[in-house]
Structures are given as structure tokens and as C-alpha cells.
């Protein structure tokens, strides 16, 4: 795979001789060459006309539920996405598109016909705008394109934002032998990644019609979406499809194909027994994994006939554990067999971001703390702090610094990492929010969107102070500059240095705010994974019994837990 840094330099030079602050974008694109695009809720794309709406006090145009591929239903259920047919008349892009089939609040919601996108852009005639493509979180099992409201960012950063809905759960990732009847891409089982590739192709075809520059695409995602972004960096099928990348709380994860097949078969086996196809789960598993051609035909017929909602109901207790719901299969075609040990990357400028309390909501949701009472001042508050603090340190390393260390010496494009600590100050967010949630998974969302929403935001009152408002403005400026040029730096901003090498150590931007001002600094401090484990072993703030249980039942088997599981002899959850 050829390196792309030279092409990126050419693109950056063409856009600007320096990095671009948010105010520059609007001034520059107004002078762009004449284009067919004119601001209106009705626009013409390849498949026909779409009619959207005005939002953000009429500053932003929005089209929702726009299909980027045909419905993956019937014989297309486990196939590569296909082109959508043209439509007659005007497509109503004021209605939300279908979500992928998923379980939410104990109920099945969504639809298999879910390959659609929401598109935000400024309500101006500006053209040649950069594109931010956003992939929602939810462990690739749940979630929605509406995860982040982007109407303010689109106007503030003068960019086009495209948010995707896509196939979820085992409808999006399924590597059982019976389904391998297509080409090498389909046989990978990574159908969700094929959805993303199709969406990027759609943007390449339709971007100019919406005033966007299809040669200036930044792929981004949060949580599972961030891990999907990282996977795209090592996937040969995404070469040339995007020019920059942002991974919000992502990290490096792939799954072994054979191990994944076994987990998926175990999860589907109860349905097979329930439907009377096999008498017991052992026989059902053997049948689902069979390489016999007659068996595979029977399995395939069965799987295509299972109602989607029943498939969505399996493996729902994953809790950021690949061993419960395996996905991102290292098949050797869509993703390299060696995973992130590869030396071949789609080299594009990359931002990786984490929060300092990443594990808080996962600790809170763990059954170990379900009946623990007051976790701020109660008897078991120390146990919660142990789980949250150490889990968050390990998770934070996984999300940014560990990936940078692995990549930087074999990656030509610049790598930027960032850690947000906002949300840990009791004076700003209150005692309970600071101690239970802190700078949690998703802490960046209110700053990116400019709208106080999500668990990290609490009741939203903290964002009314001058400090968080300044941090929001500066964070959006960093992102805007990056979208335009691949360099987040600009006038009035603390210099965000890129990594220079694994041995030189991290160059990490630290973001926080007090009530009066934003606090932005660069750090070169490094805390190793083993040092964290050493501190865990020496920690005497909780009993040895509680410590052992938390390490083996709460922190075990998570994305970030490989070293911890090895050190403390935790059981292999894949077995």
C-alpha cells in the first residue's frame, strides 16, 4: 500500500499556505469558483431530488435519512451493499432514516433497511467545503446517526457533516462458513465496513452537488465508530477513500475469524434449538460451524429466514468485550490477518482523543455495583473509585497513546493525541457528577457539538460558565482547522504538537476549563501500562478480596485488558 503523505501535502498547500481558523473558512469559500450548488432545502443528487429543512436558526441545511445504498434485506441480507435505485419526484429528507436493527431498553427497534445518512451543511452558497463523516458508537450493536447534533458545527466550521446509519450486530458482522458464498469482500463477514466504504463512494459521487469537496474527507467516529476508523486505517479497501481521520475514544481492535465463528455459533444456537432444527445446543453449534456443503446450504437457508429482531437480541451483554460480540474480523482481505501489527497503513493525518474518566459509565453499569448503594460517600465508594480510576487509566492509554506508540514509527502522516479532563472539578459540575461520571466516555460531545448533551454533560449547567464556552470555541477551532488542512493548529490556539516517535514519548494536548477560562496545555508525561498494574497491586484502599473480584470480574476481558488479564491470570472469555 503506497504512502500518501506527499498527496496530503499537495492538498494542504492547495487549500492554504497556513492552517485555517474557523473564521477564515467562510471568507475563503465565498470566493470559490462558480458551482451548480446554491443554498436551498431542495437539491439534486445522483438518485434524484431531495428536500430537507433549515435548522440552527436557519444557519444550517439538513437532509435526513438519505439512502446511500439499497436495503440489505432478503437475498442481500449478508451481501455487499448495492446501489440504490433512482426515485421519481422529490425524496422527503425531513424524516429520520431507519436505524439499524438493535435492542434498546429491552425492545427491538430499527429496520434492516438502514443504509442511510444525515447531511448537514451551512446555509450559504459556499462550495468546496471539507466533509466530516461521522460513525456513531454503540459497540457496533446499537446507536443512531443522531448521536451528536451537528447543526452548529457545520455552520461554525463551514463544513459538510455526514452521519451514517449502518448494519449492526451479527447483521453487520458475521463470519459463519455458510455465509461465505460471495466474493472475497463479502466472505470476510465485515459487512458493516463494506457499508462504510459504500457511503464514502456515495460522497465521492454526490459531494460536489452539495457544495462539498469529495477530495477532502475526514472519516471520524466515537467508541465503536472510533475503532472502526482505526480499522479503516489498516484496510486496503479504504485506500484513497478519505484524506484525514479522527478517532474519538476508539483504539485498536480486531477479532480472529475462527474464534469469532465459535462465539457467533454459540450465540445463535439457542435460536436453532428453539425453532426445532436441532435438539440441543451442542448439535446446533456443530451444524452452524459445519463445512459440509449440504449442511452449509441448510444453515444458510435457516439464517436468512430468521427474523432480524431475534438476531439483534443475541450477544447484547458485550460491555466493551470483543469475546462476547466479535467483529472487525482479521480475514486477510478487508482487514489484514496480522491486524494492527501491520506495517501498511492508509497514511492520513490522524487525531486520537480520550477522556480521563473513560471507564466511569462502564463501571457504573457493571453488575458488581448494581446494589452497592451510595458510590460517592458510601461503604463501597472506595471500590468504585478503584474500578473507575484504574479502568479509566488503562482505557485512556488504549484510546490514544498505546495506538500512537504502535503506529508512529511506521506511519508517515502526523499523529495528534488529546486527553480531556473536563468534568472532574466538583466546583463546576457538582460532587456526584465529578465523582461518578467525570471526564467520561463521550466527554468531547458537548464541545464538538456546542450543545450540552449526554451523560458527560450532566444537567448542562456547567457549560454556561465562561471557561467551558471558551473551551468549546477553541476545540471547534482545532477540529475546523484539521478538517480544512490536516493540521489542527491556528491563530490564538495553544500549539498542538504531533508525535515525533515512539522513543521520544507522547505529545499530548490536555484540555480542561475552570469557570473563567479554558485550560489548554501540552504534555510529554508518560505512564506505562505496567506502572498502572503495579499501582493496582500495591493499592490498599480496598480489601484484597474486593480487589481480586474487581480485577477478575469488572475490569477483565475489556478492550484494554489484555495485559491486565495476563498479569492477574484472568480466565479466557473466548473459551
Amino acid at each position: 500500500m503506497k504512502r500518501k503523505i506527499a498527496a496530503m501535502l499537495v492538498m494542504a498547500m492547495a487549500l492554504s499556505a497556513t492552517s485555517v481558523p474557523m473564521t477564515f473558512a467562510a471568507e475563503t469559500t465565498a470566493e470559490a469558483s462558480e458551482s451548480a450548488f446554491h443554498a436551498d432545502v431542495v437539491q439534486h443528487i445522483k438518485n434524484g431530488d431531495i428536500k430537507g429543512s433549515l435548522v440552527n436558526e436557519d444557519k444550517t441545511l439538513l437532509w435526513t435519512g438519505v439512502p446511500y445504498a439499497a436495503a440489505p434485506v432478503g437475498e442481500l441480507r449478508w451481501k455487499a451493499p448495492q446501489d440504490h435505485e433512482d426515485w421519481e419526484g422529490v425524496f422527503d429528507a425531513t424524516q429520520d432514516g431507519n436505524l439499524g436493527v438493535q435492542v434498546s431498553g429491552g425492545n427491538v427497534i430499527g429496520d434492516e433497511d438502514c443504509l442511510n445518512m444525515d447531511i448537514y451543511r451551512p446555509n450559504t452558497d459556499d462550495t468546496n467545503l471539507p466533509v466530516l463523516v461521522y460513525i456513531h458508537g454503540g459497540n457496533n450493536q446499537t446507536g443512531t446517526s443522531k448521536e451528536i447534533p451537528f447543526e452548529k458545527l457545520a455552520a461554525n466550521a463551514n463544513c459538510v457533516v455526514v452521519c451514517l446509519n449502518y448494519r449492526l450486530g451479527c447483521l453487520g458482522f458475521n463470519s459463519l462458513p455458510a455465509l461465505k458464498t460471495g466474493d472475497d469482500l463479502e466472505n470476510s463477514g465485515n459487512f458493516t465496513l463494506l457499508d462504510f466504504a459504500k457511503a464514502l463512494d456515495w460522497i465521492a459521487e454526490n459531494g460536489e452537488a452539495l457544495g462539498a469537496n469529495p477530495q477532502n474527507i475526514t472519516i471520524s467516529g466515537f467508541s465503536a465508530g472510533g475503532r472502526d476508523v482505526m480499522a479503516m486505517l489498516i484496510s486496503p479497501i479504504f485506500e484513497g477513500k478519505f484524506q484525514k481521520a479522527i478517532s474519538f475514544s476508539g483504539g485498536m481492535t480486531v477479532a480472529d475469524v475462527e474464534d469469532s465463528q465459535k462465539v457467533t455459533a454459540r450465540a445463535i444456537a439457542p435460536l436453532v434449538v428453539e425453532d426445532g432444527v436441532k435438539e440441543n445446543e451442542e448439535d446446533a453449534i456443530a451444524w452452524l460451524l459445519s463445512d459440509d456443503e449440504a449442511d452449509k446450504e441448510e444453515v444458510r437457508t435457516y439464517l436468512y429466514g430468521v427474523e432480524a429482531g431475534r438476531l439483534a437480541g443475541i450477544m447484547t451483554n458485550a460491555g466493551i468485550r470483543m469475546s462476547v460480540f466479535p467483529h472487525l474480523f482479521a480475514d486477510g482481505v478487508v482487514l489484514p490477518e496480522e491486524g494492527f501489527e501491520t506495517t501498511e497503513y492508509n497514511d492520513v493525518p490522524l487525531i486520537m482523543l480520550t477522556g480521563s474518566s473513560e471507564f466511569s459509565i462502564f463501571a457504573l453499569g457493571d453488575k458488581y455495583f448494581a446494589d452497592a448503594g451510595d458510590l460517592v460517600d458510601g461503604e463501597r465508594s472506595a471500590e468504585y473509585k478503584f474500578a473507575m480510576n484504574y479502568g479509566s487509566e488503562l482505557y485512556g492509554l488504549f484510546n490514544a497513546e498505546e495506538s500512537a506508540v504502535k503506529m508512529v514509527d511506521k506511519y508517515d502522516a502526523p499523529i495528534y493525541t488529546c486527553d480531556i479532563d473536563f468534568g472532574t472539578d466538583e466546583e463546576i459540575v457538582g460532587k456526584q457528577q465529578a465523582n461518578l461520571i467525570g471526564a467520561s466516555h463521550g466527554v468531547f460531545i458537548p464541545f464538538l457539538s456546542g450543545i450540552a448533551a449526554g451523560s458527560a454533560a450532566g444537567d448542562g449547567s456547567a457549560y454556561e460558565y465562561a471557561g467551558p464556552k471558551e473551551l468549546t470555541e477553541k476545540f471547534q477551532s482545532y477540529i475546523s482547522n484539521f478538517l480544512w488542512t490536516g493540521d489542527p493548529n491556528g491563530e490564538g490556539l495553544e500549539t498542538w504538537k504531533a508525535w515525533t516517535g515512539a522513543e521520544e514519548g507522547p505529545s499530548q494536548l490536555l484540555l480542561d476549563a475552570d469557570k473563567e477560562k479554558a485550560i489548554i496545555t501540552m504534555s510529554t508525561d508518560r505512564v506505562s501500562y505496567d506502572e498502572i498494574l503495579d499501582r493496582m497491586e500495591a493499592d490498599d484502599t480496598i480489601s484484597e478480596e474486593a480487589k481480586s473480584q474487581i480485577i477478575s470480574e469488572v475490569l477483565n476481558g475489556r478492550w484494554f485488558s489484555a495485559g491486565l488479564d495476563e498479569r492477574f491470570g484472568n480466565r479466557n472469555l473466548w473459551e
Side-chain angles (χ1 to χ4, degrees):
M1 193 178 301
K2 295 181 179 179
R3 304 294 191 193
K4 303 177 183 63
I5 189 64
M8 285 305 308
L9 289 172
V10 171
M11 182 193 74
M13 290 173 64
L15 289 169
S16 171
T18 59
S19 58
V20 183
M22 287 161 55
T23 54
F24 178 91
E27 296 167 2
T28 301
T29 55
E31 302 170 1
S33 59
E34 290 188 8
S35 168
F37 180 82
H38 295 287
D40 197 327
V41 293
V42 177
Q43 297 294 331
H44 182 76
I45 59 173
K46 181 180 178 181
N47 295 118
D49 290 340
I50 56 174
K51 182 178 181 180
S53 57
L54 284 167
V55 294
N56 187 28
E57 298 178 333
D58 292 349
K59 297 175 184 177
T60 306
L61 290 162
L62 170 62
W63 299 273
T64 57
V66 178
Y68 60 84
V73 298
E75 62 183 16
L76 296 180
R77 173 177 274 185
W78 283 293
K79 294 292 183 182
Q82 302 297 307
D83 289 342
H84 196 282
E85 293 182 354
D86 295 348
W87 51 77
E88 295 182 1
V90 180
F91 182 89
D92 183 3
T94 66
Q95 303 297 313
D96 290 346
N98 292 329
L99 316 178
V101 182
Q102 58 192 277
V103 174
S104 176
N107 299 314
V108 175
I109 62 173
D111 194 284
E112 285 192 84
D113 182 5
C114 63
L115 303 186
N116 62 76
M117 58 176 63
D118 301 335
I119 306 165
Y120 304 78
R121 66 145 291 142
N123 183 23
T124 68
D125 290 340
D126 292 348
T127 60
N128 209 39
L129 303 183
V131 182
L132 176 67
V133 179
Y134 180 77
I135 301 169
H136 67 73
N139 203 45
N140 283 318
Q141 293 179 290
T142 63
T144 166
S145 61
K146 295 293 189 293
E147 182 173 73
I148 298 179
F150 278 108
E151 56 263 28
K152 288 190 176 182
L153 182 73
N156 292 345
N158 205 29
C159 66
V160 176
V161 184
V162 178
C163 304
L164 305 180
N165 286 313
Y166 52 92
R167 282 178 279 189
L168 299 169
C170 73
L171 293 168
F173 291 99
N174 196 328
S175 63
L176 288 177
L179 300 180
K180 298 181 184 298
T181 60
D183 60 19
D184 289 343
L185 295 181
E186 289 182 338
N187 290 347
S188 75
N190 289 303
F191 303 103
T192 292
L193 291 182
L194 302 187
D195 292 346
F196 299 151
K198 187 67 172 178
L200 290 170
D201 290 342
W202 188 98
I203 294 167
E205 290 184 300
N206 294 279
E208 287 187 11
L210 297 171
N213 179 0
Q215 298 302 314
N216 190 7
I217 295 174
T218 300
I219 189 74
S220 71
F222 166 49
S223 194
R227 292 186 294 107
D228 295 336
V229 166
M230 298 300 292
M232 292 182 212
L233 295 178
I234 61 172
S235 172
I237 75 168
F238 287 94
E239 184 175 6
K241 290 186 185 295
F242 54 86
Q243 288 69 49
K244 297 175 289 298
I246 305 175
S247 175
F248 299 106
S249 301
M252 296 177 165
T253 53
V254 293
D256 176 81
V257 174
E258 188 174 336
D259 287 342
S260 299
Q261 289 174 340
K262 293 174 183 176
V263 173
T264 302
R266 287 200 297 267
I268 296 177
L271 302 183
V272 175
V273 175
E274 182 179 317
D275 292 336
V277 179
K278 296 294 178 181
E279 292 186 358
N280 56 66
E281 291 186 14
E282 183 178 353
D283 289 345
I285 292 170
W287 180 65
L288 290 165
L289 294 174
S290 176
D291 279 324
D292 178 79
E293 290 301 324
D295 284 344
K296 286 198 292 186
E297 185 173 352
E298 289 179 358
V299 170
R300 188 160 51 249
T301 299
Y302 171 77
L303 290 175
Y304 273 86
V306 177
E307 194 271 324
R310 297 177 69 204
L311 293 170
I314 63 176
M315 299 183 281
T316 56
N317 60 332
I320 64 172
R321 289 184 170 106
M322 184 68 81
S323 56
V324 179
F325 169 57
H327 50 286
L328 299 174
F329 309 125
D331 66 297
V333 176
V334 172
L335 295 175
E337 291 182 355
E338 66 272 24
F340 288 96
E341 297 304 320
T342 184
T343 59
E344 298 293 327
Y345 284 87
N346 294 317
D347 282 343
V348 299
L350 169 65
I351 289 175
M352 292 182 287
L353 176 147
T354 190
S356 64
S357 309
E358 283 282 342
F359 193 63
S360 62
I361 60 175
F362 301 100
L364 270 179
D366 194 274
K367 62 183 180 181
Y368 182 84
F369 294 108
D371 300 313
D374 180 4
L375 293 176
V376 176
D377 296 310
E379 293 181 2
R380 296 180 60 187
S381 61
E383 295 178 17
Y384 177 74
K385 291 176 182 176
F386 181 95
M388 185 190 80
N389 291 340
Y390 289 118
S392 294
E393 284 193 75
L394 295 173
Y395 203 174
L397 277 182
F398 170 85
N399 286 339
E401 187 176 324
E402 278 191 330
S403 297
V405 169
K406 185 182 289 289
M407 298 170 67
V408 66
D409 291 335
K410 48 190 176 182
Y411 197 86
D412 292 335
I415 296 174
Y416 303 91
T417 61
C418 174
D419 188 2
I420 300 179
D421 196 41
F422 183 82
T424 60
D425 186 343
E426 292 184 14
E427 185 178 347
I428 297 179
V429 300
K431 183 176 182 179
Q432 183 159 327
Q433 181 78 7
N435 286 275
L436 292 183
I437 304 297
S440 69
H441 199 59
V443 64
F444 72 95
I445 292 176
F447 300 108
L448 183 65
S449 67
I451 300 171
S455 62
D459 64 6
S461 60
Y463 298 85
E464 296 302 315
Y465 295 114
K469 286 183 177 180
E470 182 186 4
L471 184 58
T472 298
E473 181 180 346
K474 291 190 172 182
F475 183 67
Q476 290 191 4
S477 291
Y478 281 122
I479 297 300
S480 175
N481 295 336
F482 186 76
L483 297 181
W484 279 90
T485 70
D487 183 342
N489 293 292
E491 184 179 353
L493 297 174
E494 176 78 22
T495 299
W496 189 348
K497 298 177 182 177
W499 281 62
T500 55
E503 290 301 319
E504 287 80 355
S507 295
Q508 189 133 290
L509 189 74
L510 305 181
L511 299 179
D512 200 354
D514 58 25
K515 288 184 177 181
E516 289 77 32
K517 63 184 181 305
I519 304 171
I520 303 176
T521 58
M522 284 297 303
S523 172
T524 57
D525 293 339
R526 169 174 287 178
V527 178
S528 76
Y529 194 101
D530 285 337
E531 287 173 338
I532 298 172
L533 299 187
D534 289 343
R535 283 192 279 111
M536 290 176 67
E537 282 194 297
D539 194 311
D540 60 1
T541 59
I542 62 175
S543 69
E544 287 299 316
E545 180 182 4
K547 183 193 297 188
S548 176
Q549 194 168 354
I550 290 171
I551 289 172
S552 63
E553 297 181 13
V554 179
L555 300 176
N556 66 314
R558 309 283 187 170
W559 308 136
F560 54 80
S561 297
L564 175 141
D565 292 334
E566 183 177 359
R567 166 83 74 95
F568 295 102
N570 289 339
R571 67 188 180 93
N572 182 358
L573 296 179
W574 287 91
E575 297 175 351

